[in-house]
Amino acid sequence: MKMLNPQRRARLERRMVGSTNRWRFPSKPFSGDLLGLSQRCKALSVDLDEALKNPDRLCVSQIQKIFSETSKNKPVQSREADVILECLGSRWELHQPQLFQSKTLSKLYLMALAQSTKRPTKELESLLRAQLPGKIKERPPTKKMIISLKINDPVVTKVGFAMALKSLYLSQVEMNVNDVLAVLASAHVLQISSLFQRCVAVMMKGLTPSTVKSFYLAGCKYKEEQLTTACEKWLEMNLVPLVGTQIHLRKIPQELLHRVLRSPRLFTFNEFHLLKTLLLWVFLQLNPKVQTVPVQETVLAFFTSFSRKCSFLDQDTGQSLVPLFLCLRLHGIIKERRPLQVTCSVVGEETPGLCARPGFLSLLRWAWGKASLESGGDMAHVKDLTTQAVRFGLLFNQEYTTHSEVIAIYGFFFEIKGVRHDTTSYSFYMQRVRHSDVVCEHGPVSLRAERLVKYEIRAQTLVDGQWQEFRTNQITQKFGFSKPSCKSHALKIHTVGLPIYASFSFIFPMS
């Protein structure tokens, strides 16, 4: 008779998964019971394919789900901390239920648990059992564990990191615009998604000339497209009327400025205002010691000082800026000779190097030449309304009931106008006016009774952090001096947003 082996095989524990009679062995991550695993992942809101690739994620997700449900809005009992986190040269005392709301800290704790005990699974089950609903049991004493986290992100500060840890204990953490960038970086390191998204929301509502650069770069760094898009749209509206008047214009990255200049939604009072803004940006890049916004004549004198034999963009410092100036619609800069002289000093007039930049020379010569005037204003070089139209803008503020400007181009005069009908109703339109009815500087006057115009009117405003956009179709119309031909189609809108950025884009087709 054979003797029995005194060392019996350890009995496998079995665990039920889900509400059906499906069993699996916890000693192996996945024992082939895919149906049971699928049920478990579904109950924990975990993607099955990801769980198969990374079994550790299933464990962390399960623990986080249990702790988030039991610790939500639950006050921390007055007891000693379970974990000491060493980070940024400080020691932070944390409690297990709150710690598991951070994916980073959860993984660090589980790794430390596995290394500090021979039976980490039993310790973890005991920890989870204490979180089950029912009669509150006295928690057995546990050894205080120390975990360490090294952070290489220079944006993370002690204040921001402390606020991120504070969010583990409070459902809402107050933060201001000055601290939000450090809190965002800390939330990214700790992998606290809810806090990260709250920071993004605060940043989108807190865009100003002084914050748009840092918020945009943060969106690029952490791949938060929602934030970078919000920065771009905000700058499209405020580059000329707001940022272009402050020293903060210097901080705008060239890549962001290029994207904004190319946008069809860009708001500007006219093309010369946009040119002045770009010239000021270049001036501030080349004169870093200047700490205040210079007067316009100082900037213009700086660029006219360059020799016409070698324009600014033909020099080494200017060649990298060519893409920015290619975004300008120079044919719209026609009001006076001074800006055209400055433009020639920047892009060149008769320089052979202009051959590498087709379009500049022809546009400049045509812009101040006689061709358009002699042909009754026809813009022979302009075909596409979206990318080539001459733009004019009105910034309709809260104090206005009506707001209008008179514009002159190639001897034709138009009034662009906005009207408030009630607290939420507005209309925007343009109409042709006689030169004798307006006060204007010396310039050409067209005697043509009719002028064919292709135009589009657009209005944009910010409401609850989202941009509302209204626009007409692209309309071709003959403008005369008498009604109804003197007035364009009106863009009628209803909105609670202010200010309203109204843009009028048009070209004079061949007639």
Side-chain angles (χ1 to χ4, degrees), residues 54 90 94 97 129 145-146 168 173 209 237-238 275 289 312 319 322 333 380 382 391 422:
N54 187 4
S90 299
L94 302 173
R129 196 178 296 115
M145 193 165 297
I146 299 177
L168 301 177
V173 176
M237 295 299 101
N238 293 285
L275 171 63
K289 294 183 179 180
F312 172 73
Q319 289 181 1
V322 169
I333 307 172
V382 179
R391 296 165 293 187
D422 55 46

Side-chain angles (χ1 to χ4, degrees), residues 443-487:
V445 175
S446 175
L447 300 179
R448 291 185 59 170
E450 292 183 331
R451 174 65 256 177
L452 186 65
V453 181
K454 186 176 183 180
Y455 66 91
E456 178 186 65
I457 304 173
R458 184 194 303 255
Q460 299 173 84
T461 187
L462 188 64
V463 178
D464 295 330
Q466 299 294 325
W467 285 99
Q468 291 183 343
E469 183 175 347
F470 310 89
R471 59 194 295 184
T472 65
N473 295 323
Q474 293 187 6
I475 303 170
T476 302
Q477 175 183 338
K478 280 188 176 181
F479 282 81
F481 288 114
S482 59
K483 294 182 179 180
S485 65
C486 68
K487 185 177 179 180

Side-chain angles (χ1 to χ4, degrees), residues 392-412:
F392 294 90
L394 288 178
L395 189 57
F396 202 96
N397 292 313
Q398 186 174 4
E399 63 269 19
Y400 294 141
T401 54
T402 62
H403 182 40
S404 65
E405 294 283 348
V406 174
I407 59 176
I409 180 168
Y410 298 144
F412 296 90

